[in-house]
Amino acid sequence: MAELAELEDPKTRVVNEKHGDDHGVNLSKLRALAKRLKTQQELASRLWETDDTAARLLAILICRPKAFERDELDVMLREARTPKVHDWLVNYVVKKNPHSEELRRAWSADPDPVVASAGWALTTERVAKKPEGLDLPGLLDVIEAEMKDAPDRLQWALNHCLAQIGIEHSEYRTRAIDIGERLEVLKDYPTSPGCTSPFAPVWITEMVRRQRDE
């Protein structure tokens, strides 16, 4: 904890706080510290219990993703107060855990929109890597009905899933683009030069173009 405190940078904290993350540690330095510590499941558990954002990010980097029980991960996700901890927990731990499919189904239907966004992030992963058994038209129905008025984090996750369906599955591409154009979610999102807009019709079209060019 003392070492993490030394890595704290006020300017970094100001930038992070704009995104809802209450820490000021440079993530490259955090990763370097994790590399030095290597995998330590017990230390990871103790760091998580501090409720400190930087400590929790470090915990995620040094834990053993497959060591967690389903209910442990469910509690951890609900405790993950900040967007970065939430995203890292889903991407670095839950996706590698044997209970990920069970959690995907449970979280997607959760009344808490932040928890539901984790379920949709796991669904997006399956759309890209293991779509067998997924009801893609059914997912598009839900996205069409719920995305427009969904809270920010859930809306972002639904939009990502919409784009992924359009990118990966040509038979649903026209419908995915049509849903994006009608709902206009993230249409005016500020995008840096050289970056792809998260507006689904633009995102889908650009990624498909790149795949064709490869």
Side-chain angles (χ1 to χ4, degrees):
M1 292 305 289
E3 199 161 339
L4 284 172
E6 281 176 23
L7 294 175
E8 176 79 20
D9 173 39
K11 287 180 186 167
T12 305
R13 179 176 280 270
V14 169
V15 173
N16 286 335
E17 283 182 343
K18 287 178 183 167
H19 304 290
D21 291 310
D22 56 353
H23 77 93
V25 177
N26 176 290
L27 295 180
S28 298
K29 291 178 180 174
L30 191 77
R31 289 179 190 279
L33 176 57
K35 201 170 181 180
R36 205 179 77 225
L37 290 169
K38 299 190 169 62
T39 303
Q40 297 192 48
Q41 183 68 11
E42 190 181 335
L43 176 59
S45 297
R46 288 168 63 197
L47 286 167
W48 184 271
E49 285 165 10
T50 65
D51 194 27
D52 176 82
T53 294
R56 285 186 163 181
L57 292 173
L58 182 60
I60 288 165
L61 293 175
I62 65 167
C63 74
R64 273 201 306 279
K66 291 179 178 165
F68 294 100
E69 295 299 326
R70 177 204 179 283
D71 290 348
E72 272 184 287
L73 289 174
D74 185 66
V75 169
M76 288 168 75
L77 186 85
R78 293 169 197 280
E79 290 175 345
R81 298 174 292 101
T82 65
K84 185 67 75 181
V85 172
H86 173 102
D87 291 343
W88 279 25
L89 182 66
V90 172
N91 286 303
Y92 298 165
V93 181
V94 181
K95 283 181 181 178
K96 298 173 184 174
N97 183 277
H99 302 289
S100 64
E101 176 59 19
E102 194 185 338
L103 288 167
R104 180 189 77 80
R105 290 199 296 268
W107 287 344
S108 296
D110 198 276
D112 182 331
V114 176
V115 174
S117 75
W120 279 92
L122 294 171
T123 299
T124 301
E125 169 98 342
R126 270 203 61 190
V127 166
K129 295 186 176 172
K130 206 170 76 174
E132 299 78 26
L134 280 181
D135 175 11
L136 296 177
L139 291 176
L140 289 172
D141 289 344
V142 175
I143 292 166
E144 188 170 18
E146 297 181 8
M147 183 168 77
K148 182 83 173 171
D149 299 315
D152 284 356
R153 300 284 297 282
L154 179 55
Q155 186 182 66
W156 193 270
L158 291 167
N159 183 70
H160 191 177
C161 191
L162 174 67
Q164 204 71 52
I165 291 171
I167 292 162
E168 301 287 344
H169 301 279
S170 56
E171 65 272 37
Y172 301 113
R173 188 167 296 149
T174 303
R175 187 180 170 202
I177 289 172
D178 177 61
I179 290 170
E181 283 174 345
R182 278 186 293 106
L183 299 185
E184 298 189 336
V185 168
L186 300 175
K187 187 175 183 178
D188 300 320
Y189 192 83
T191 306
S192 306
C195 295
T196 304
S197 167
F199 178 47
V202 175
W203 190 355
I204 294 166
T205 306
E206 174 60 18
M207 296 310 289
V208 170
R209 183 190 66 75
R210 286 186 203 175
Q211 286 170 0
R212 286 186 185 134
D213 289 350
E214 282 172 5

